[in-house]
Amino acid sequence: MKKYMSVILIMLLLLLSACSNKTAGDEGSTGNSKNPSGTITVWGWDVAAATMKAAVDKFQKQYPDVEVKVEDFNSGDLYDKLTVGLAARGSGLPDVVLMEDERIPGYLHQFPQGFLNLSKLGYDKYKDSFNLAKVAAVQNEESDFIAAPWDIGPAGVFYRVDYFEKANVDPNSIQTWDDYIKAGKKIKEATGAKLLPIDIPNYDGVFQMMMQSQGLSYFDEDDNITLQSKEAIRSMDVIKRLHDEDLILNNKGWDGLVTATVNGSVATVPYGVWYAGTIMDQAPDLKGKWDMFYLPSFDGGTRYANVGGTSMMIPSTSKNQSAAYAFVEFFTTDRDSQLLGFEKYGLFPSLKETYNAPQFTENNEYFSNSMIFKKFADIVDKVPQINVNENLAKASSLTSNAQAAILLESKSVGTSLNEAKKQLENELKK
């Protein structure tokens, strides 16, 4: 009996030893919050992925025991893989994923436990490092960080300096949308160019910029639909007036937009700051012929909005959360890494301390030797905070339909926006 008990005791000790060794091995492979180690996989796309790859060297100087594998996908493929992985409760997911801000509410709604709460890991200490509108875009309803801010897209109106000069239009005279229309008529008469491009059936981005400048999205702070608000009606009224004056070029998609920019079919392009990189890349021979002024305003509204932006999230299934958080924290708050993306790829950082760098304060030869990026940086804190929820894509699609009905089928603004509101209400009931 004693011999039998001794055998059992030895087996238990061996088992405990094995468990102890396994635990120690796990700690050694992932480290801890202060000294993370091991391997993490990061998902991104295009120039964003390239920026992350370029930032790895500096990150590893601070965290030499962490290996970072950045995987570059087409953004559509990334979201498909992410959705499938989250639905499968973590199968095949990365440790860190890049996400467009407008998609964050939808993913949080569909997968409420899908991502780590970064506030619980200490990210709240960086709250004042970013503007309020960006912070709101990456927080949940409890004001916790679910994503870490990366790039943003403060908006302005890129314009052809030579066209304005030929038409004797001073860009500083354009303060309101009425001024903008008046200038557009003079420019079209003098140059033959339309004032701005809009993919009428598919893109309501100008409408969105107008709404944000007035402090609204498709939904107010209580999630009420705003498509019948005075702000929405007067925004679409202006777009209709632009169309009635034959000042809108109905371009087809991204390629149509770039073509219109390059071939001189339009005199202005209202868009996010990141479009500056596209202009410089696609139209190098137009150096010195472009510049920027702020969006026109409505009475009682601002001249500021944001177009686009991405942030970083950590799927809750990550097996190396310490290293994942270390990378997210470093990449979104390290000044050099933020400037790297801006210098090499035109990604405008959300980290406010970067805005005193020479890259932002120098005159830019391409844009008529103006301090164009300082002008964008100066408005980051002025962009109104708006409510973007999980139904943005549905609202945008229905608003684009309404825009097409108004401009291409001559339907009234009030009727079309009311129909879009009712359709959206029905969609949300499903």
Short mmCIF file of all heavy atoms in Angstrom, two decimals, residues 82-143:
data_model
loop_
_atom_site.label_atom_id
_atom_site.label_comp_id
_atom_site.label_asym_id
_atom_site.label_seq_id
_atom_site.Cartn_x
_atom_site.Cartn_y
_atom_site.Cartn_z
N LEU A 82 -11.20 39.40 -41.20
CA LEU A 82 -11.44 39.80 -39.82
C LEU A 82 -12.85 39.38 -39.38
O LEU A 82 -13.03 38.83 -38.29
CB LEU A 82 -11.28 41.31 -39.68
CG LEU A 82 -11.50 41.89 -38.28
CD1 LEU A 82 -10.46 41.35 -37.30
CD2 LEU A 82 -11.46 43.42 -38.32
N THR A 83 -13.83 39.63 -40.23
CA THR A 83 -15.21 39.29 -39.89
C THR A 83 -15.38 37.80 -39.72
O THR A 83 -16.00 37.33 -38.76
CB THR A 83 -16.17 39.81 -40.98
OG1 THR A 83 -16.02 41.23 -41.12
CG2 THR A 83 -17.61 39.49 -40.64
N VAL A 84 -14.81 37.02 -40.64
CA VAL A 84 -14.90 35.56 -40.54
C VAL A 84 -14.21 35.07 -39.28
O VAL A 84 -14.73 34.21 -38.55
CB VAL A 84 -14.28 34.90 -41.79
CG1 VAL A 84 -14.14 33.40 -41.60
CG2 VAL A 84 -15.13 35.20 -43.02
N GLY A 85 -13.05 35.63 -38.97
CA GLY A 85 -12.31 35.20 -37.78
C GLY A 85 -13.04 35.53 -36.49
O GLY A 85 -13.09 34.71 -35.56
N LEU A 86 -13.63 36.71 -36.42
CA LEU A 86 -14.38 37.09 -35.23
C LEU A 86 -15.62 36.22 -35.07
O LEU A 86 -15.97 35.82 -33.95
CB LEU A 86 -14.78 38.56 -35.30
CG LEU A 86 -13.63 39.57 -35.14
CD1 LEU A 86 -14.09 40.97 -35.52
CD2 LEU A 86 -13.11 39.57 -33.70
N ALA A 87 -16.28 35.93 -36.19
CA ALA A 87 -17.46 35.06 -36.13
C ALA A 87 -17.09 33.65 -35.68
O ALA A 87 -17.88 32.96 -35.02
CB ALA A 87 -18.14 35.01 -37.49
N ALA A 88 -15.86 33.23 -36.02
CA ALA A 88 -15.38 31.90 -35.62
C ALA A 88 -14.70 31.95 -34.25
O ALA A 88 -14.00 31.01 -33.86
CB ALA A 88 -14.40 31.36 -36.66
N ARG A 89 -14.89 33.06 -33.54
CA ARG A 89 -14.36 33.24 -32.19
C ARG A 89 -12.84 33.15 -32.12
O ARG A 89 -12.28 32.48 -31.25
CB ARG A 89 -14.99 32.24 -31.23
CG ARG A 89 -16.51 32.40 -31.14
CD ARG A 89 -17.10 31.43 -30.14
NE ARG A 89 -18.56 31.60 -30.08
CZ ARG A 89 -19.35 30.89 -29.28
NH1 ARG A 89 -18.83 29.95 -28.50
NH2 ARG A 89 -20.64 31.10 -29.29
N GLY A 90 -12.22 33.82 -33.08
CA GLY A 90 -10.78 33.99 -32.96
C GLY A 90 -9.92 33.21 -33.91
O GLY A 90 -8.71 33.39 -33.93
N SER A 91 -10.50 32.37 -34.70
CA SER A 91 -9.70 31.55 -35.60
C SER A 91 -8.99 32.40 -36.65
O SER A 91 -9.63 33.11 -37.42
CB SER A 91 -10.60 30.52 -36.29
OG SER A 91 -9.88 29.77 -37.23
N GLY A 92 -7.66 32.29 -36.66
CA GLY A 92 -6.87 32.95 -37.70
C GLY A 92 -6.75 34.45 -37.58
O GLY A 92 -6.36 35.12 -38.54
N LEU A 93 -7.03 35.02 -36.42
CA LEU A 93 -6.97 36.47 -36.25
C LEU A 93 -5.55 36.93 -35.90
O LEU A 93 -4.77 36.18 -35.33
CB LEU A 93 -7.94 36.92 -35.17
CG LEU A 93 -9.42 36.83 -35.50
CD1 LEU A 93 -10.25 37.29 -34.32
CD2 LEU A 93 -9.76 37.67 -36.73
N PRO A 94 -5.23 38.20 -36.20
CA PRO A 94 -3.92 38.74 -35.84
C PRO A 94 -3.92 39.21 -34.40
O PRO A 94 -4.92 39.15 -33.69
CB PRO A 94 -3.79 39.93 -36.80
CG PRO A 94 -5.20 40.44 -36.91
CD PRO A 94 -6.07 39.20 -36.91
N ASP A 95 -2.79 39.73 -33.96
CA ASP A 95 -2.69 40.34 -32.63
C ASP A 95 -3.07 41.81 -32.66
O ASP A 95 -3.53 42.37 -31.67
CB ASP A 95 -1.26 40.19 -32.10
CG ASP A 95 -0.87 38.73 -31.95
OD1 ASP A 95 -1.30 38.09 -30.99
OD2 ASP A 95 -0.14 38.23 -32.85
N VAL A 96 -2.86 42.45 -33.81
CA VAL A 96 -3.18 43.87 -34.00
C VAL A 96 -3.78 44.04 -35.38
O VAL A 96 -3.32 43.41 -36.35
CB VAL A 96 -1.93 44.76 -33.87
CG1 VAL A 96 -2.27 46.23 -34.12
CG2 VAL A 96 -1.27 44.60 -32.51
N VAL A 97 -4.81 44.88 -35.50
CA VAL A 97 -5.43 45.10 -36.81
C VAL A 97 -5.70 46.59 -36.99
O VAL A 97 -6.10 47.29 -36.06
CB VAL A 97 -6.74 44.28 -36.96
CG1 VAL A 97 -7.79 44.72 -35.95
CG2 VAL A 97 -7.28 44.39 -38.38
N LEU A 98 -5.45 47.07 -38.19
CA LEU A 98 -5.77 48.44 -38.56
C LEU A 98 -7.24 48.50 -38.99
O LEU A 98 -7.73 47.58 -39.63
CB LEU A 98 -4.88 48.89 -39.72
CG LEU A 98 -4.97 50.36 -40.14
CD1 LEU A 98 -4.32 51.25 -39.09
CD2 LEU A 98 -4.29 50.57 -41.50
N MET A 99 -7.93 49.58 -38.62
CA MET A 99 -9.33 49.70 -39.00
C MET A 99 -9.69 51.16 -39.27
O MET A 99 -9.26 52.07 -38.54
CB MET A 99 -10.26 49.14 -37.92
CG MET A 99 -11.73 49.11 -38.33
SD MET A 99 -12.82 48.34 -37.12
CE MET A 99 -12.26 46.63 -37.20
N GLU A 100 -10.48 51.40 -40.32
CA GLU A 100 -10.99 52.73 -40.60
C GLU A 100 -11.96 53.12 -39.49
O GLU A 100 -12.78 52.33 -39.05
CB GLU A 100 -11.70 52.75 -41.95
CG GLU A 100 -10.75 52.56 -43.12
CD GLU A 100 -11.47 52.20 -44.40
OE1 GLU A 100 -12.11 51.13 -44.44
OE2 GLU A 100 -11.40 52.99 -45.36
N ASP A 101 -11.88 54.36 -39.04
CA ASP A 101 -12.70 54.82 -37.92
C ASP A 101 -14.18 54.60 -38.15
O ASP A 101 -14.91 54.24 -37.22
CB ASP A 101 -12.43 56.30 -37.65
CG ASP A 101 -11.02 56.56 -37.13
OD1 ASP A 101 -10.34 55.59 -36.77
OD2 ASP A 101 -10.61 57.73 -37.10
N GLU A 102 -14.63 54.82 -39.37
CA GLU A 102 -16.06 54.71 -39.63
C GLU A 102 -16.59 53.28 -39.49
O GLU A 102 -17.79 53.06 -39.33
CB GLU A 102 -16.38 55.23 -41.04
CG GLU A 102 -15.76 54.43 -42.15
CD GLU A 102 -15.99 55.07 -43.52
OE1 GLU A 102 -15.94 56.32 -43.62
OE2 GLU A 102 -16.22 54.31 -44.48
N ARG A 103 -15.68 52.31 -39.53
CA ARG A 103 -16.10 50.92 -39.40
C ARG A 103 -16.09 50.43 -37.94
O ARG A 103 -16.67 49.38 -37.64
CB ARG A 103 -15.18 50.01 -40.22
CG ARG A 103 -15.35 50.16 -41.74
CD ARG A 103 -14.40 49.24 -42.46
NE ARG A 103 -14.53 49.31 -43.91
CZ ARG A 103 -15.20 48.45 -44.65
NH1 ARG A 103 -15.83 47.44 -44.08
NH2 ARG A 103 -15.25 48.58 -45.97
N ILE A 104 -15.43 51.16 -37.07
CA ILE A 104 -15.29 50.71 -35.69
C ILE A 104 -16.65 50.48 -35.01
O ILE A 104 -16.86 49.42 -34.40
CB ILE A 104 -14.42 51.69 -34.89
CG1 ILE A 104 -12.98 51.64 -35.40
CG2 ILE A 104 -14.46 51.37 -33.39
CD1 ILE A 104 -12.05 52.67 -34.78
N PRO A 105 -17.61 51.42 -35.08
CA PRO A 105 -18.88 51.19 -34.40
C PRO A 105 -19.60 49.93 -34.88
O PRO A 105 -20.21 49.21 -34.07
CB PRO A 105 -19.70 52.45 -34.73
CG PRO A 105 -18.69 53.50 -35.01
CD PRO A 105 -17.57 52.77 -35.69
N GLY A 106 -19.52 49.64 -36.18
CA GLY A 106 -20.17 48.45 -36.71
C GLY A 106 -19.57 47.17 -36.15
O GLY A 106 -20.30 46.24 -35.77
N TYR A 107 -18.24 47.13 -36.07
CA TYR A 107 -17.59 45.93 -35.53
C TYR A 107 -17.86 45.78 -34.03
O TYR A 107 -18.05 44.67 -33.53
CB TYR A 107 -16.09 45.97 -35.81
CG TYR A 107 -15.73 45.36 -37.14
CD1 TYR A 107 -15.64 46.15 -38.28
CD2 TYR A 107 -15.53 43.99 -37.28
CE1 TYR A 107 -15.34 45.59 -39.52
CE2 TYR A 107 -15.22 43.42 -38.51
CZ TYR A 107 -15.14 44.22 -39.63
OH TYR A 107 -14.85 43.66 -40.86
N LEU A 108 -17.88 46.89 -33.30
CA LEU A 108 -18.18 46.81 -31.87
C LEU A 108 -19.62 46.36 -31.63
O LEU A 108 -19.90 45.65 -30.66
CB LEU A 108 -17.94 48.16 -31.20
CG LEU A 108 -16.49 48.67 -31.16
CD1 LEU A 108 -16.42 49.99 -30.39
CD2 LEU A 108 -15.58 47.64 -30.53
N HIS A 109 -20.51 46.79 -32.51
CA HIS A 109 -21.92 46.38 -32.38
C HIS A 109 -22.08 44.89 -32.67
O HIS A 109 -22.80 44.18 -31.95
CB HIS A 109 -22.77 47.20 -33.35
CG HIS A 109 -24.23 46.83 -33.34
ND1 HIS A 109 -25.08 47.21 -32.33
CD2 HIS A 109 -24.97 46.10 -34.21
CE1 HIS A 109 -26.29 46.73 -32.58
NE2 HIS A 109 -26.25 46.06 -33.71
N GLN A 110 -21.41 44.41 -33.72
CA GLN A 110 -21.54 43.02 -34.12
C GLN A 110 -20.74 42.08 -33.22
O GLN A 110 -21.17 40.94 -32.95
CB GLN A 110 -21.08 42.84 -35.57
CG GLN A 110 -21.38 41.47 -36.16
CD GLN A 110 -21.05 41.40 -37.64
OE1 GLN A 110 -20.59 42.37 -38.24
NE2 GLN A 110 -21.28 40.25 -38.24
N PHE A 111 -19.58 42.57 -32.73
CA PHE A 111 -18.71 41.73 -31.90
C PHE A 111 -18.32 42.51 -30.63
O PHE A 111 -17.18 42.97 -30.50
CB PHE A 111 -17.46 41.32 -32.68
CG PHE A 111 -17.75 40.65 -34.00
CD1 PHE A 111 -17.60 41.35 -35.20
CD2 PHE A 111 -18.18 39.33 -34.04
CE1 PHE A 111 -17.86 40.73 -36.41
CE2 PHE A 111 -18.45 38.71 -35.25
CZ PHE A 111 -18.30 39.41 -36.44
N PRO A 112 -19.25 42.67 -29.69
CA PRO A 112 -19.00 43.52 -28.52
C PRO A 112 -17.85 43.07 -27.64
O PRO A 112 -17.26 43.87 -26.92
CB PRO A 112 -20.33 43.47 -27.76
CG PRO A 112 -21.04 42.26 -28.27
CD PRO A 112 -20.62 42.11 -29.70
N GLN A 113 -17.48 41.80 -27.71
CA GLN A 113 -16.36 41.28 -26.93
C GLN A 113 -15.15 40.97 -27.82
O GLN A 113 -14.23 40.28 -27.39
CB GLN A 113 -16.78 40.00 -26.18
CG GLN A 113 -18.00 40.16 -25.30
CD GLN A 113 -17.81 41.23 -24.24
OE1 GLN A 113 -16.74 41.34 -23.64
NE2 GLN A 113 -18.85 42.03 -24.01
N GLY A 114 -15.18 41.51 -29.03
CA GLY A 114 -14.16 41.12 -30.00
C GLY A 114 -12.81 41.78 -29.85
O GLY A 114 -11.81 41.29 -30.39
N PHE A 115 -12.75 42.90 -29.09
CA PHE A 115 -11.50 43.65 -29.03
C PHE A 115 -11.19 44.05 -27.59
O PHE A 115 -12.09 44.26 -26.77
CB PHE A 115 -11.59 44.90 -29.91
CG PHE A 115 -11.87 44.59 -31.35
CD1 PHE A 115 -13.18 44.57 -31.82
CD2 PHE A 115 -10.85 44.28 -32.23
CE1 PHE A 115 -13.46 44.27 -33.15
CE2 PHE A 115 -11.11 43.98 -33.55
CZ PHE A 115 -12.42 43.97 -34.01
N LEU A 116 -9.91 44.19 -27.30
CA LEU A 116 -9.48 44.57 -25.96
C LEU A 116 -9.87 46.01 -25.64
O LEU A 116 -9.86 46.88 -26.52
CB LEU A 116 -7.96 44.44 -25.83
CG LEU A 116 -7.34 43.05 -25.86
CD1 LEU A 116 -5.86 43.15 -25.51
CD2 LEU A 116 -8.04 42.10 -24.89
N ASN A 117 -10.19 46.24 -24.38
CA ASN A 117 -10.42 47.58 -23.88
C ASN A 117 -9.05 48.18 -23.55
O ASN A 117 -8.40 47.81 -22.57
CB ASN A 117 -11.30 47.51 -22.62
CG ASN A 117 -11.67 48.88 -22.10
OD1 ASN A 117 -10.89 49.82 -22.17
ND2 ASN A 117 -12.87 48.98 -21.55
N LEU A 118 -8.61 49.12 -24.38
CA LEU A 118 -7.26 49.68 -24.21
C LEU A 118 -7.16 50.59 -22.99
O LEU A 118 -6.06 50.79 -22.46
CB LEU A 118 -6.85 50.44 -25.47
CG LEU A 118 -6.87 49.63 -26.78
CD1 LEU A 118 -6.33 50.47 -27.93
CD2 LEU A 118 -6.06 48.34 -26.64
N SER A 119 -8.28 51.13 -22.54
CA SER A 119 -8.25 51.96 -21.33
C SER A 119 -7.81 51.14 -20.12
O SER A 119 -7.10 51.63 -19.24
CB SER A 119 -9.63 52.57 -21.07
OG SER A 119 -9.91 53.57 -22.02
N LYS A 120 -8.23 49.88 -20.09
CA LYS A 120 -7.85 49.02 -18.97
C LYS A 120 -6.37 48.67 -19.01
O LYS A 120 -5.82 48.18 -18.02
CB LYS A 120 -8.71 47.76 -18.98
CG LYS A 120 -10.18 48.03 -18.67
CD LYS A 120 -11.00 46.76 -18.65
CE LYS A 120 -12.45 47.06 -18.29
NZ LYS A 120 -13.29 45.83 -18.29
N LEU A 121 -5.74 48.91 -20.16
CA LEU A 121 -4.31 48.64 -20.28
C LEU A 121 -3.48 49.91 -20.10
O LEU A 121 -2.25 49.87 -20.21
CB LEU A 121 -4.02 48.01 -21.65
CG LEU A 121 -4.71 46.66 -21.91
CD1 LEU A 121 -4.41 46.18 -23.32
CD2 LEU A 121 -4.27 45.62 -20.89
N GLY A 122 -4.16 51.03 -19.87
CA GLY A 122 -3.44 52.27 -19.57
C GLY A 122 -3.45 53.33 -20.64
O GLY A 122 -2.77 54.36 -20.50
N TYR A 123 -4.24 53.15 -21.72
CA TYR A 123 -4.15 54.10 -22.84
C TYR A 123 -4.80 55.44 -22.53
O TYR A 123 -4.56 56.43 -23.22
CB TYR A 123 -4.78 53.48 -24.09
CG TYR A 123 -4.26 54.11 -25.37
CD1 TYR A 123 -3.07 53.67 -25.95
CD2 TYR A 123 -4.93 55.16 -25.98
CE1 TYR A 123 -2.57 54.27 -27.09
CE2 TYR A 123 -4.45 55.75 -27.13
CZ TYR A 123 -3.27 55.30 -27.69
OH TYR A 123 -2.77 55.90 -28.82
N ASP A 124 -5.61 55.53 -21.48
CA ASP A 124 -6.27 56.79 -21.14
C ASP A 124 -5.29 57.94 -20.93
O ASP A 124 -5.65 59.11 -21.11
CB ASP A 124 -7.12 56.63 -19.87
CG ASP A 124 -8.47 56.01 -20.16
OD1 ASP A 124 -8.80 55.80 -21.35
OD2 ASP A 124 -9.21 55.71 -19.20
N LYS A 125 -4.07 57.63 -20.56
CA LYS A 125 -3.10 58.70 -20.28
C LYS A 125 -2.74 59.50 -21.54
O LYS A 125 -2.15 60.58 -21.44
CB LYS A 125 -1.83 58.12 -19.66
CG LYS A 125 -1.06 57.15 -20.56
CD LYS A 125 0.10 56.52 -19.79
CE LYS A 125 0.80 55.46 -20.62
NZ LYS A 125 1.87 54.77 -19.85
N TYR A 126 -3.12 58.97 -22.71
CA TYR A 126 -2.82 59.67 -23.97
C TYR A 126 -4.01 60.47 -24.50
O TYR A 126 -3.95 61.03 -25.60
CB TYR A 126 -2.37 58.67 -25.03
CG TYR A 126 -1.13 57.90 -24.66
CD1 TYR A 126 -1.20 56.54 -24.37
CD2 TYR A 126 0.10 58.53 -24.58
CE1 TYR A 126 -0.07 55.83 -24.02
CE2 TYR A 126 1.25 57.83 -24.22
CZ TYR A 126 1.16 56.47 -23.95
OH TYR A 126 2.28 55.78 -23.59
N LYS A 127 -5.09 60.54 -23.73
CA LYS A 127 -6.31 61.17 -24.22
C LYS A 127 -6.09 62.58 -24.73
O LYS A 127 -6.62 62.98 -25.77
CB LYS A 127 -7.37 61.17 -23.11
CG LYS A 127 -8.70 61.76 -23.54
CD LYS A 127 -9.72 61.68 -22.42
CE LYS A 127 -11.05 62.27 -22.85
NZ LYS A 127 -12.08 62.17 -21.78
N ASP A 128 -5.29 63.36 -24.04
CA ASP A 128 -5.06 64.75 -24.44
C ASP A 128 -4.07 64.90 -25.58
O ASP A 128 -3.80 66.02 -26.03
CB ASP A 128 -4.57 65.56 -23.23
CG ASP A 128 -5.64 65.69 -22.15
OD1 ASP A 128 -6.83 65.58 -22.48
OD2 ASP A 128 -5.27 65.88 -20.98
N SER A 129 -3.53 63.79 -26.05
CA SER A 129 -2.56 63.83 -27.15
C SER A 129 -3.24 63.93 -28.51
O SER A 129 -2.57 64.16 -29.52
CB SER A 129 -1.68 62.58 -27.13
OG SER A 129 -0.94 62.50 -25.93
N PHE A 130 -4.56 63.76 -28.53
CA PHE A 130 -5.31 63.75 -29.79
C PHE A 130 -6.50 64.70 -29.69
O PHE A 130 -6.94 65.06 -28.60
CB PHE A 130 -5.81 62.33 -30.08
CG PHE A 130 -4.74 61.27 -29.97
CD1 PHE A 130 -4.60 60.52 -28.81
CD2 PHE A 130 -3.87 61.04 -31.03
CE1 PHE A 130 -3.61 59.55 -28.70
CE2 PHE A 130 -2.88 60.08 -30.93
CZ PHE A 130 -2.74 59.33 -29.77
N ASN A 131 -7.04 65.09 -30.84
CA ASN A 131 -8.17 66.01 -30.80
C ASN A 131 -9.46 65.28 -30.38
O ASN A 131 -9.57 64.05 -30.49
CB ASN A 131 -8.36 66.68 -32.17
CG ASN A 131 -8.91 65.74 -33.22
OD1 ASN A 131 -8.29 64.73 -33.53
ND2 ASN A 131 -10.06 66.04 -33.76
N LEU A 132 -10.42 66.03 -29.89
CA LEU A 132 -11.63 65.45 -29.31
C LEU A 132 -12.42 64.62 -30.31
O LEU A 132 -12.97 63.57 -29.97
CB LEU A 132 -12.52 66.57 -28.75
CG LEU A 132 -11.98 67.31 -27.51
CD1 LEU A 132 -12.92 68.44 -27.12
CD2 LEU A 132 -11.80 66.33 -26.35
N ALA A 133 -12.50 65.08 -31.57
CA ALA A 133 -13.27 64.35 -32.57
C ALA A 133 -12.66 62.98 -32.83
O ALA A 133 -13.38 61.98 -32.98
CB ALA A 133 -13.35 65.15 -33.87
N LYS A 134 -11.34 62.90 -32.87
CA LYS A 134 -10.67 61.62 -33.10
C LYS A 134 -10.85 60.71 -31.89
O LYS A 134 -11.13 59.50 -32.04
CB LYS A 134 -9.18 61.84 -33.37
CG LYS A 134 -8.39 60.56 -33.63
CD LYS A 134 -8.78 59.90 -34.95
CE LYS A 134 -7.88 58.72 -35.26
NZ LYS A 134 -8.18 58.10 -36.56
N VAL A 135 -10.72 61.26 -30.70
CA VAL A 135 -10.89 60.46 -29.49
C VAL A 135 -12.29 59.87 -29.44
O VAL A 135 -12.48 58.68 -29.13
CB VAL A 135 -10.61 61.32 -28.23
CG1 VAL A 135 -11.07 60.59 -26.97
CG2 VAL A 135 -9.13 61.65 -28.14
N ALA A 136 -13.30 60.68 -29.76
CA ALA A 136 -14.68 60.19 -29.74
C ALA A 136 -14.89 59.05 -30.72
O ALA A 136 -15.69 58.14 -30.47
CB ALA A 136 -15.64 61.33 -30.06
N ALA A 137 -14.14 59.07 -31.82
CA ALA A 137 -14.31 58.05 -32.86
C ALA A 137 -13.77 56.69 -32.44
O ALA A 137 -14.14 55.67 -33.03
CB ALA A 137 -13.61 58.49 -34.15
N VAL A 138 -12.91 56.66 -31.42
CA VAL A 138 -12.27 55.39 -31.04
C VAL A 138 -12.65 54.94 -29.63
O VAL A 138 -12.05 54.02 -29.09
CB VAL A 138 -10.73 55.50 -31.15
CG1 VAL A 138 -10.31 55.78 -32.59
CG2 VAL A 138 -10.17 56.57 -30.22
N GLN A 139 -13.66 55.58 -29.06
CA GLN A 139 -14.12 55.19 -27.74
C GLN A 139 -15.48 54.51 -27.82
O GLN A 139 -16.25 54.75 -28.75
CB GLN A 139 -14.23 56.41 -26.81
CG GLN A 139 -12.88 56.99 -26.41
CD GLN A 139 -13.04 58.17 -25.47
OE1 GLN A 139 -13.95 58.98 -25.60
NE2 GLN A 139 -12.14 58.28 -24.51
N ASN A 140 -15.78 53.69 -26.82
CA ASN A 140 -17.10 53.06 -26.75
C ASN A 140 -18.06 53.96 -25.96
O ASN A 140 -17.71 55.10 -25.60
CB ASN A 140 -17.01 51.66 -26.14
CG ASN A 140 -16.49 51.68 -24.70
OD1 ASN A 140 -16.43 52.73 -24.05
ND2 ASN A 140 -16.11 50.52 -24.19
N GLU A 141 -19.24 53.46 -25.68
CA GLU A 141 -20.25 54.27 -25.00
C GLU A 141 -19.85 54.64 -23.58
O GLU A 141 -20.39 55.58 -23.00
CB GLU A 141 -21.59 53.54 -25.00
CG GLU A 141 -22.18 53.37 -26.40
CD GLU A 141 -23.50 52.64 -26.38
OE1 GLU A 141 -23.90 52.16 -25.30
OE2 GLU A 141 -24.14 52.55 -27.45
N GLU A 142 -18.92 53.89 -23.00
CA GLU A 142 -18.44 54.18 -21.65
C GLU A 142 -17.20 55.08 -21.67
O GLU A 142 -16.54 55.27 -20.65
CB GLU A 142 -18.11 52.89 -20.91
CG GLU A 142 -19.33 52.07 -20.49
CD GLU A 142 -20.00 51.39 -21.67
OE1 GLU A 142 -19.27 50.85 -22.53
OE2 GLU A 142 -21.24 51.40 -21.73
N SER A 143 -16.88 55.61 -22.85
CA SER A 143 -15.71 56.49 -23.03
C SER A 143 -14.39 55.79 -22.78
O SER A 143 -13.39 56.42 -22.41
CB SER A 143 -15.82 57.73 -22.13
OG SER A 143 -16.95 58.50 -22.47
#
